[in-house]
Amino acid sequence: VAGGGTLPADLRPRALELAGGHDAHILIVPWASRREEAGSSSAAVWQQAGATEVTVIPDDATEARKAIEDTDLMWLVGGSQVRLMDAFRERDLIEAVRKSHSQGTIIAGTSAGAAVLSHYMMTGKAELKSLTRGSTELVEGLGLWQGVIVDQHFRQRDRLGRLLDRKS
């Protein structure tokens, strides 16, 4: 789980090690991003880290489900966590992701890709300048990490207020 921004140099090599080594199958999920090259650029970074089997998830739901079932490590690219969850929901893939995780697949991400890992995630709708009761909106995430809420870019975007007061 990475909050966003520059990632630690040892993150990808350690993730590869946990996933089974350089030949582990890495699946890039760029659906949170609006950048057209988000998938290919993320795949290139994983390849530079030593991964030999890197693919970008197909848009087709059936092909995407198969890719999820066959991966060792799924990397969720940053962007909008709402957009990412909508993409999983529209393709009916949330249970496939949960099942894959329960069977040992490492599921990791940065920024929005980290925010979706918890049971509840923040949507981005919140009052950040003051503590306004009920201003932080929570919706269902992937539910892979119980008992936590992942808030990305916390210090850089002054997000303490949205953690102190929320609505569910």
Side-chain angles (χ1 to χ4, degrees), residues 62-78:
T62 302
E63 293 175 20
R65 180 173 282 100
K66 176 74 170 129
I68 290 168
E69 292 169 355
D70 293 342
T71 196
D72 298 305
L73 187 150
M74 185 183 314
W75 181 255
L76 308 174
V77 175

Side-chain angles (χ1 to χ4, degrees), residues 68-69 71 96-106:
I68 290 168
E69 292 169 355
T71 196
V97 172
R98 289 175 178 163
K99 181 179 179 184
S100 183
H101 181 259
S102 74
Q103 294 175 341
T105 298
I106 296 170

Side-chain angles (χ1 to χ4, degrees), residues 72-150:
D72 298 305
L73 187 150
M74 185 183 314
W75 181 255
L76 308 174
V77 175
S80 163
Q81 57 265 34
V82 172
R83 187 179 310 113
L84 180 54
M85 286 303 298
D86 285 348
F88 279 128
R89 202 173 290 108
E90 288 165 7
R91 293 167 178 87
D92 194 26
L93 295 173
I94 294 172
E95 285 307 315
V97 172
R98 289 175 178 163
K99 181 179 179 184
S100 183
H101 181 259
S102 74
Q103 294 175 341
T105 298
I106 296 170
I107 303 186
T110 185
S111 188
V116 300
L117 298 176
S118 55
H119 180 72
Y120 291 106
M121 65 177 202
M122 295 180 204
T123 65
K125 293 179 184 174
E127 173 57 50
L128 300 179
K129 302 290 184 206
S130 65
L131 294 178
T132 304
R133 182 166 180 76
S135 70
T136 301
E137 181 180 55
L138 297 180
V139 296
E140 187 176 359
L142 290 172
L144 305 180
W145 195 5
Q146 299 296 320
V148 301
I149 291 178
V150 177

Side-chain angles (χ1 to χ4, degrees), residues 3 10 14 20 24 27 30 33 38 41 47 51 53-54 56 61 64 77 96 103 113 124 130 133 145 157 160:
D10 63 340
R14 178 68 175 131
L27 180 64
S33 179
S41 63
Q47 289 167 334
E53 298 290 327
V54 184
V56 177
V77 175
Q103 294 175 341
S130 65
R133 182 166 180 76
W145 195 5
R157 297 185 185 169
L160 178 61

